[in-house]
Amino acid sequence: MLVAAAVCPCPPLLVPEVAAGAAPELDAARAACTDALGVLAAARPDRLVVVGAAEEAGSYPQGARGSFRGLGVDVDVTLGEGQDAAAGPVLPLSLAVAGWLLGRTGWADAPIEGLAVARTLAPQRCAELGADLAGRAERIALLVMGDASACRTVKAPGYLDERAAPFDAEVARALGAADVAALRALDARLADELQASGRAPWQVLAGAAGEADLSGALLYEDAPYGVGYLVATWS
């Protein structure tokens, strides 16, 4: 059963070494992520599942390794502590950012596993996957990694799209209200056109929440660099 969830953005810029001189610009986002992880720890889960979007689906054990070396910085991370961190597949960036956040806060409250969800996974399949995750332990917590639209300004990665701000506003409202129905109803095609990497992970969360009757709180909402970043908690 899902007992808590934290929703965080997944830009590598959250890692100060990657952001370099621009690092202070995301201090508020980092602080909100830290607060969100605190809500997960307070729920005392039996297991934490980290869900993030990737080009291909995959499962990652505790201790799986990730790196930001491809972005020009000498920073490696693991998904929690593990004995076999050097073995197995490398974490996709969304889960690597989660690994950095968890390492930063010293997560040791429950075993961890990572789940990469294909960006194109259909909403119904996302819901089914979430329901399956919720049944894996008596007390499951989710750390859900994903960005909102990347089309908020002319300098954004996806340029300016007039649909981006309303889309992000609805997602922020749904996450803040723990509105499962609204998340399930997100338009996958529109989300893809707006380059919103969080769509599939958010719909996995919606599937996991089911009838859990959790309350939501929106901790952070902004669009630096023209990309929507949201932090929320469900508990």
Side-chain angles (χ1 to χ4, degrees), residues 26-102:
L26 289 180
D27 280 348
R30 295 184 192 97
C33 290
T34 297
D35 291 343
L37 291 180
V39 171
L40 295 185
R44 299 181 180 274
D46 299 325
R47 177 165 293 275
L48 173 65
V49 182
V50 183
V51 181
E55 294 306 316
E56 296 183 359
S59 297
Y60 299 84
Q62 181 163 327
R65 60 193 175 88
S67 175
F68 298 99
R69 294 175 184 267
L71 299 175
V73 297
D74 186 16
V75 177
D76 297 317
V77 297
T78 60
L79 193 64
E81 297 181 358
Q83 298 298 317
D84 300 318
V90 176
L91 296 169
L93 277 177
S94 63
L95 299 187
V97 173
W100 181 82
L101 288 173
L102 291 164

Side-chain angles (χ1 to χ4, degrees), residues 23-199:
E25 297 176 11
L26 289 180
D27 280 348
R30 295 184 192 97
C33 290
T34 297
D35 291 343
L37 291 180
V39 171
L40 295 185
R44 299 181 180 274
D46 299 325
R47 177 165 293 275
L48 173 65
V49 182
V50 183
V51 181
E55 294 306 316
E56 296 183 359
S59 297
Y60 299 84
Q62 181 163 327
R65 60 193 175 88
S67 175
F68 298 99
R69 294 175 184 267
L71 299 175
V73 297
D74 186 16
V75 177
D76 297 317
V77 297
T78 60
L79 193 64
E81 297 181 358
Q83 298 298 317
D84 300 318
V90 176
L91 296 169
L93 277 177
S94 63
L95 299 187
V97 173
W100 181 82
L101 288 173
L102 291 164
R104 179 172 181 259
T105 57
W107 178 273
D109 297 272
I112 303 172
E113 63 181 275
L115 180 66
V117 180
R119 298 176 188 273
T120 57
L121 191 65
Q124 182 58 35
R125 288 289 300 118
C126 290
E128 292 168 356
L129 178 57
D132 176 70
L133 290 177
R136 291 188 182 180
E138 185 174 345
R139 299 181 62 81
I140 284 281
L142 296 185
L143 172 54
V144 181
M145 307 296 296
D147 300 338
S149 71
C151 304
R152 293 284 292 273
T153 68
V154 295
K155 294 185 178 180
Y159 196 66
L160 176 64
D161 191 312
E162 299 291 344
R163 301 170 297 174
F167 175 88
D168 288 358
E170 172 57 12
V171 172
R173 186 206 64 78
L175 290 175
D179 189 335
V180 170
L183 291 180
R184 287 183 171 179
L186 289 176
D187 187 323
R189 180 175 180 179
L190 175 60
D192 184 61
E193 292 174 355
L194 297 177
Q195 301 181 26
S197 68
R199 190 276 304 173

